[in-house]
Amino acid sequence: MLWRRELSRERVPPPRVLGAGEPRNMARPEPSWRRLNPQLERDVRELVRHVAGLRDDVDPNFQLCLHFAWSNFRFHRFLDVNSHKVEKTIEGIYEKFIIHSDLGKAASWKRLTEEFLNASLPNIKEIKVGIIL
């Protein structure tokens, strides 16, 4: 536990015991990474308002959506495609068709995958997207 305390820059207060008549606050404590960029914080809040349709910042559902959005931004990794692995998988499917004597399917598979891989990508500049936040 000592190493955790050394890594943490913030002191977390001990949990408070609620009395019988006290309402429970379902909002989670604010994570430290949200305080890094105020503009990003405003943008994520606006995104949650727009997508979820929730307007009240203290609403537990709004806080839950906000936490979910921050979690996805923080921990999601957009990995690059391993082209060698893709080519190996495509070749493996082709070989499987040959082994099972599906020569027509094998030829069709080879032709269609080559067409797809050699096709040009659409021009993104021509696509107009309007988002109102």
Side-chain angles (χ1 to χ4, degrees), residues 81-99:
V81 176
N82 183 348
S83 61
H84 179 68
K85 187 174 181 181
V86 170
E87 289 173 6
K88 191 174 176 182
T89 302
I90 289 172
E91 191 63 33
I93 293 171
Y94 173 75
E95 288 176 10
K96 190 168 191 174
F97 283 138
I98 295 292
I99 290 171

Side-chain angles (χ1 to χ4, degrees), residues 36-106:
L36 296 177
N37 186 343
Q39 180 61 41
L40 186 60
E41 170 69 21
R42 286 189 294 272
D43 290 344
V44 173
R45 284 182 177 276
E46 192 60 35
L47 176 69
V48 169
R49 285 187 192 105
H50 183 74
V51 171
L54 300 169
R55 299 286 175 216
D56 188 13
D57 286 0
V58 295
D59 181 11
N61 290 329
F62 182 87
Q63 293 298 321
L64 187 65
C65 289
L66 191 62
H67 181 75
F68 178 77
W70 274 112
S71 176
N72 278 323
F73 289 140
R74 179 152 166 74
F75 299 113
H76 188 72
R77 300 288 183 251
F78 296 96
L79 301 176
D80 290 336
V81 176
N82 183 348
S83 61
H84 179 68
K85 187 174 181 181
V86 170
E87 289 173 6
K88 191 174 176 182
T89 302
I90 289 172
E91 191 63 33
I93 293 171
Y94 173 75
E95 288 176 10
K96 190 168 191 174
F97 283 138
I98 295 292
I99 290 171
H100 291 286
S101 298
D102 287 332
L103 302 178
K105 287 182 183 177

Side-chain angles (χ1 to χ4, degrees), residues 10-25:
E10 298 176 344
R11 290 232 175 234
V12 178
R16 197 169 69 91
V17 177
L18 295 176
E22 287 184 81
R24 294 184 182 269
N25 184 1

Side-chain angles (χ1 to χ4, degrees), residues 50 127-133:
H50 183 74
I127 299 173
K128 293 183 180 179
V129 178
I131 298 176
I132 300 172
L133 293 179

